[in-house]
Amino acid sequence: MKKSAIKSGKIKIGVIGLGYVGLPLAVEFGRLYEVTGFDISENRVAELKKGVDKTLEVARGELKNSAFLRFTSKAADLKGCNYYIVSVPTPVNEHKIPDLGPLLSACETVGRLLTKGDIVIFESTVYPGATEEDCVPVLEKHSGLKFNRDFYCGYSPERINPGDKKHTLVNIKKVTSASTPAAAAKVDALYKSIITAGTHLAPSIKVAEAAKVIENSQRDINIAFINELSKIFNKMNIDTGDVLAAAATKWNFLSFKPGLVGGHCIGVDPYYLTYKAQSLGYIPEIILAGRRLNDNMGGYVANQIIKLMIKKEILINKSKVLVLGMTFKENCPDIRNSRVIDIINEMREFGADVGVFDPWADAAEVCAEYGVKLVKDIKNQKYDAIVLAVAHEAFAALDIESLKKKKSVIYDVKGFLTIAVDGRL
């Protein structure tokens, strides 16, 4: 079946958006089908053509082994595809309101290329109803075609975990859905051809959309609960890690750790659900409470560090502070929605001179996104406070003691360091 599909040329796939989600999809489908990977960034496309993926999700060899895959920044090159998979970012703005701009722009691009019988599959995180209520009208407008008569839509939520080499695209069960039973069967079969973990065919697009947003909302709420516990136990002078280790001996205890909650999924997706709920007149109290608590953790950490410095009689104004890590998670170059910036900004509000060191992050991207210039070298430097914000494995080899002044504070946000520290969540 797979070989005949290639030889007959019946399946031609266009992947719109070649980031953390789209590129692995394009590569896997490119092993079996003719695939055109499209991205509006000419630089991104140029790098991929050279076999370079700066997200580090796909190895150079894997890019070259996709015999049926080509990359382009020209939308016209997508012409002739009969499956279009949209995997563009769906962020929130500064007011925590969903920004569908990139998604709707992608719909315009695809709409101009649609022909009868085509299927458009969305992987971008959205609120329930967005595919049919927001995307379909744009597709119809720019194609002149009728939904569910001339073309069809599907939704298969992405489950990519940046930096995770165990839970990869093909090893994670894939939820699929589409706008008609016939289209759903085609979409499900398409994904089954590359997903070794199998698929789950949802009864509707809305169910699949809802499943995606609650996956990350659930995790967000659980982490918020643990973060709140860490605040309570801190006041009791009890080590949160010790409490969690003891509680985890119960067979049905859910294991979560306190920390900063950023990234493009957990720190963003809940706002898509709360936005839709509020538009329907319902105020989602638990989800919003969890978001508020997690969004405020950076400021809380900074204030804990300041208190520890004051206790050691360290002058805060013009103090030299080193923050280790800028990415949103460990061993990964992804800086999207990193909440480390909250610690940095709060410390700077107190007058501290904050330096940030991260061997994983791209310095130009960090400067452009957050206005922070990364420190290139920390050797022979001495700091009044050292903050382990991201648990990169590379930091385990750092000689933290050599970076301390005579009076210094070491704060371990992630509970990662094996040396004695002054504070941790």
Side-chain angles (χ1 to χ4, degrees):
M1 175 185 172
K2 293 177 182 177
K3 290 183 178 178
S4 62
I6 296 169
K7 291 179 179 179
S8 67
K10 288 183 178 179
I11 294 178
K12 293 184 179 181
I13 303 170
V15 177
I16 295 85
L18 298 174
Y20 284 87
V21 175
L23 182 61
L25 273 173
V27 169
E28 290 302 328
F29 277 125
R31 301 182 195 278
L32 302 176
Y33 312 108
E34 185 178 332
V35 176
T36 300
F38 168 79
D39 199 284
I40 60 173
S41 170
E42 294 182 3
N43 289 337
R44 174 68 167 158
V45 171
E47 289 173 351
L48 293 175
K49 285 182 176 180
K50 294 177 182 177
V52 177
D53 171 30
K54 66 180 181 181
T55 70
L56 304 181
E57 291 301 302
V58 177
R60 183 185 291 269
E62 290 181 297
L63 285 174
K64 293 183 177 180
N65 288 337
S66 292
F68 305 96
L69 171 62
R70 64 172 179 165
F71 300 113
T72 183
S73 57
K74 297 178 180 178
D77 291 340
L78 290 164
K79 192 172 183 179
C81 294
N82 44 33
Y83 286 87
Y84 294 91
I85 301 178
V86 179
S87 56
V88 298
T90 44
V92 293
N93 63 22
E94 65 272 21
H95 304 296
K96 310 301 183 185
I97 296 174
D99 177 9
L100 295 182
L103 182 63
L104 298 182
S105 178
C107 289
E108 290 182 17
T109 298
V110 173
R112 297 188 184 101
L113 300 165
L114 278 181
T115 56
K116 288 189 176 182
D118 291 350
I119 297 178
V120 184
I121 305 168
F122 295 92
E123 291 228 358
S124 304
T125 300
V126 292
Y127 44 74
T131 297
E132 291 155 301
E133 296 165 14
D134 296 286
C135 297
V136 165
V138 177
L139 293 170
E140 287 185 322
K141 176 182 176 181
H142 290 275
S143 68
L145 301 177
K146 185 68 177 175
F147 177 53
N148 279 343
R149 184 191 71 188
D150 302 320
F151 74 93
Y152 308 88
C153 284
Y155 186 79
S156 182
E158 60 90 3
R159 284 175 167 170
I160 294 295
N161 185 23
D164 190 337
K165 301 307 178 185
K166 179 181 178 181
H167 302 98
T168 58
L169 172 64
V170 299
N171 297 323
I172 306 171
K173 196 159 192 173
K174 200 84 164 70
V175 174
T176 65
S177 66
S179 53
T180 67
K186 289 182 178 180
V187 170
D188 194 59
L190 183 69
Y191 280 101
K192 271 183 178 175
S193 68
I194 65 165
I195 306 296
T196 57
T199 63
H200 173 89
L201 179 57
S204 70
I205 287 176
K206 283 186 178 181
V207 167
E209 291 169 328
K212 170 58 180 175
V213 288
I214 72 163
E215 287 174 16
N216 286 322
S217 295
Q218 181 187 68
R219 185 167 176 79
D220 190 43
I221 291 168
N222 280 319
I223 296 173
F225 173 58
I226 301 300
N227 276 337
E228 187 162 62
L229 290 180
S230 73
K231 291 183 177 182
I232 296 170
F233 295 143
N234 180 56
K235 288 185 174 295
M236 297 178 178
N237 199 29
I238 301 174
D239 189 293
T240 304
D242 291 342
V243 175
L244 295 177
T249 59
K250 189 170 187 287
W251 73 91
N252 59 352
F253 182 79
L254 300 179
S255 182
F256 290 90
K257 293 182 179 180
L260 305 176
V261 183
H264 189 64
C265 291
I266 301 178
V268 173
D269 293 358
Y271 288 119
Y272 275 77
L273 184 56
T274 58
Y275 171 82
K276 187 64 175 180
Q278 289 172 313
S279 72
L280 298 172
Y282 180 79
I283 306 300
E285 297 179 22
I286 293 176
I287 301 174
L288 286 174
R291 277 284 73 234
R292 282 193 298 271
L293 199 147
N294 284 338
D295 274 347
N296 290 330
M297 285 306 292
Y300 170 79
V301 167
N303 278 274
Q304 291 301 302
I305 297 166
I306 294 297
K307 289 178 181 178
L308 289 168
M309 293 173 73
I310 291 172
K311 287 180 180 179
K312 288 194 174 185
E313 299 181 337
I314 298 172
L315 184 64
I316 307 301
N317 191 35
K318 297 183 180 180
S319 60
K320 198 173 180 182
V321 176
L322 174 65
V323 173
L324 295 172
M326 187 67 211
T327 60
F328 92 89
K329 63 178 292 188
E330 65 277 2
N331 307 320
C332 166
D334 195 348
I335 65 167
R336 293 176 299 173
N337 193 36
S338 171
R339 297 335 306 165
V340 177
I341 190 62
D342 299 332
I343 298 176
I344 297 168
N345 288 341
E346 189 73 8
M347 295 296 291
R348 285 177 173 173
E349 284 287 323
F350 281 96
D353 177 13
V354 182
V356 184
F357 178 69
D358 192 323
W360 278 88
D362 182 277
E365 287 185 0
V366 172
C367 188
E369 182 70 20
Y370 300 106
V372 172
K373 292 184 179 180
L374 294 182
V375 176
K376 294 182 180 179
D377 190 5
I378 56 176
K379 291 179 182 178
N380 303 317
Q381 299 294 317
K382 299 290 184 180
Y383 297 91
D384 295 294
I386 301 168
V387 185
L388 189 286
V390 184
H392 292 317
E393 288 180 7
F395 292 153
L398 280 180
D399 184 0
I400 302 292
E401 291 293 332
S402 70
L403 299 171
K404 294 169 56 178
K405 288 185 179 180
K406 191 172 183 180
K407 289 191 300 182
S408 293
V409 165
I410 300 177
Y411 195 96
D412 185 3
V413 175
K414 301 294 291 184
F416 174 75
L417 300 174
T418 57
I419 63 172
V421 300
D422 298 286
R424 60 163 55 100
L425 282 178

